Amino acid sequence: MIVPNYYQHYSPGRIIAGFDALKRIPGEMKRLGCKRAMVVTDKGVVAAGLIKHVKEAFTGSGETIAHVFDDSPPDSSNVAVNTLAGLFKKHTCDIFLAVGGGSALDTAKAANIVISEKTDDLLNLQGAENIEADLIPTIAVPTTAGTGSEVTRAAIIYNEEKQVKMLFGADKLYPSVALLDPKMTATVPPKITAATGLDALTHSIEAFTGLQKNPIDDAYARAAIELIATYLIRAVENGSQDMEARLGMANAALFAGVSFSNAMVGVVHSTAHACGAVCHVPHGMANGILLPWCMEYNLPRVAQYIAELSGPLGAEPTYLDTYEQAKVTIQLVRNLEKRLNELCGLPLRLRDAGVTADKLPLIAKVAVNDGCLMYNPLDVSYDDALDILRKAF
């Protein structure tokens, strides 16, 4: 382990994880001094019957659900954010209860910015540490095990007019409470379970190998990777019944979220964000496709760190040199992704995810302007990004 000369770690939210954890929602609202919740979700979560579980948690309590906003889009947008902010004020809510995947959670975070900063133009506040107002309390209940948004200082919002994804990063954005209940992920289809699991894996690997890695977040990242290696295949194979696997993956996503929110991510996310912005490839799917190719790109600089992850991914002890051990790690990632492809058809190539070859230059151009690149261990030029994309195509 190498201890850097300087690092920071901050993870202020309260974490509640376990079976029937939803029952704690009213008590947490009371602790935060709140009475009227705005539930932020999407139509898929509603159709799966998950909001029913949330409503049941309020039975007999003095707290209430004032309104359910179920129009969070697959890629959270500035239009949805502004609509939600208006409804929050209209229904005199005092807390966000975000129930969903990363898009719903990010929609709640961004609407919180709009209300608290008294603005209707998110463009003015994108970037790092541009939020000065104290935000409204938020309880985050993830319904996928991937984004880690329930414990992160970030939100990604799609600007519909400019067709780019805007990144918001600030300590103010950490949710007040992250609440993990395995029954809230039990209905996630196998392909989405796989994609979100690879999202969490990408968070962990990029945090562990990036420029801001540190001993605390390394520990979170390694724990997340071990959980993913143990439980992701089980969750894909039998996610509706295997609640142990669902709880394991929920914790993996949370640990990965804590890790990358401090240590940050790199070229995988930059290229994946661009694939989402240009071709609307789902984020976890894009991360999974690009991950091994980007690990290979960074290999000359961080072979030691990549090699250290072969154990958490399930490799037996070997006597290989560092570079060869790192290649074992990358192959283990490929093996996992191949198995997921066999189980649920998760794409292994960009062309199978809806990307066309003529879009690769634009994706590369968008990628090199993504802020995540500043934390990547190697510099990435336009030509480098295009080469990675062509290999992944």
Side-chain angles (χ1 to χ4, degrees):
M1 177 185 294
I2 299 174
V3 179
N5 293 331
Y6 176 84
Y7 70 90
Q8 296 185 31
H9 175 91
Y10 185 56
S11 185
R14 183 178 178 89
I15 296 169
I16 300 171
F19 301 103
D20 292 326
L22 283 179
K23 294 179 180 178
R24 296 290 299 274
I25 292 175
E28 290 303 306
M29 287 178 59
K30 185 175 183 179
R31 183 180 65 83
L32 292 165
C34 301
K35 301 285 288 184
R36 295 174 58 81
M38 167 65 78
V39 172
V40 184
T41 188
D42 61 56
K43 288 182 168 53
V45 171
V46 174
L50 299 180
I51 299 304
K52 177 185 67 176
H53 297 317
V54 176
K55 290 179 177 179
E56 288 171 351
F58 283 81
T59 302
S61 74
E63 291 68 37
T64 186
I65 295 174
H67 187 71
V68 175
F69 175 83
D70 63 1
D71 283 328
S72 298
D75 285 318
S76 182
S77 73
N78 55 330
V79 174
V81 165
N82 288 333
T83 300
L84 172 59
L87 289 170
F88 189 95
K89 291 183 282 189
K90 176 182 176 180
H91 291 279
T92 61
C93 301
D94 55 14
I95 187 170
F96 287 97
L97 177 53
V99 183
S103 179
L105 272 59
D106 284 359
T107 300
K109 288 180 178 181
N112 203 335
I113 297 172
V114 169
I115 296 168
S116 301
E117 290 283 356
K118 298 179 174 59
T119 181
D120 59 0
D121 189 357
L122 281 170
L123 270 174
N124 294 332
L125 295 167
Q126 69 174 321
E129 302 301 343
N130 291 325
I131 302 164
E132 297 182 356
D134 290 330
L135 300 190
I136 297 160
T138 299
I139 297 176
V141 183
T143 61
T144 63
T147 69
S149 189
E150 65 274 12
V151 286
T152 69
R153 62 192 301 278
I156 305 292
I157 306 297
Y158 182 66
N159 186 300
E160 295 190 8
E161 179 183 353
K162 296 185 178 296
Q163 295 186 343
V164 295
K165 288 193 173 185
M166 302 182 294
L167 172 65
F168 301 84
D171 286 347
K172 303 270 190 180
L173 283 176
Y174 282 105
S176 312
V177 180
L179 194 148
L180 310 182
D181 191 316
K183 65 172 167 284
M184 297 300 286
T185 61
T187 61
V188 179
K191 185 178 288 189
I192 297 177
T193 297
T196 53
L198 291 179
D199 191 19
L201 181 64
T202 303
H203 292 156
S204 305
I205 291 175
E206 290 212 284
F208 193 86
T209 58
L211 293 179
Q212 288 197 168
K213 73 183 269 88
N214 62 79
I216 297 174
D217 294 304
D218 284 356
Y220 277 103
R222 287 179 65 98
I225 292 167
E226 289 180 6
L227 286 170
I228 292 164
T230 301
Y231 289 117
L232 180 54
I233 296 297
R234 282 175 52 178
V236 171
E237 288 180 322
N238 189 29
S240 63
Q241 301 297 321
D242 193 340
M243 291 299 100
E244 178 185 322
R246 289 297 192 186
L247 185 58
M249 283 305 302
N251 278 276
L254 184 142
F255 295 163
V258 171
S259 181
F260 92 84
S261 198
N262 287 276
M264 305 305 290
V265 288
V267 64
V268 187
H269 273 74
S270 297
T271 47
H273 289 158
C275 287
V278 176
C279 294
H280 302 288
V281 181
H283 181 63
M285 184 182 295
N287 272 341
I289 293 170
L290 292 158
L291 176 59
W293 302 104
C294 293
M295 292 174 72
E296 286 185 348
Y297 177 80
N298 285 327
L299 185 58
R301 180 62 60 85
V302 291
Q304 178 63 50
Y305 302 148
I306 295 175
E308 290 176 23
L309 296 179
S310 60
L313 281 166
E316 296 294 330
T318 63
Y319 299 95
L320 298 173
D321 65 34
T322 297
Y323 198 85
E324 291 302 314
Q325 192 67 49
K327 291 199 289 188
V328 169
T329 300
I330 296 171
Q331 187 58 50
L332 288 169
V333 172
R334 294 191 189 280
N335 292 347
L336 174 61
E337 295 186 350
K338 182 180 179 182
R339 180 60 179 145
L340 293 172
N341 172 263
E342 293 168 350
L343 286 172
C344 64
L346 190 72
L348 297 175
R349 292 281 181 173
L350 291 175
R351 61 175 173 262
D352 299 322
V355 177
T356 55
D358 62 299
K359 296 293 186 182
L360 296 182
L362 177 57
I363 294 172
K365 181 179 179 180
V366 174
V368 295
N369 289 305
D370 188 287
C372 293
L373 278 185
M374 71 177 68
Y375 304 102
N376 197 65
L378 277 175
D379 290 339
V380 181
S381 68
Y382 168 81
D383 289 337
D384 294 329
L386 185 57
D387 184 56
I388 291 168
L389 291 164
R390 285 173 172 163
K391 289 177 178 178
F393 183 72

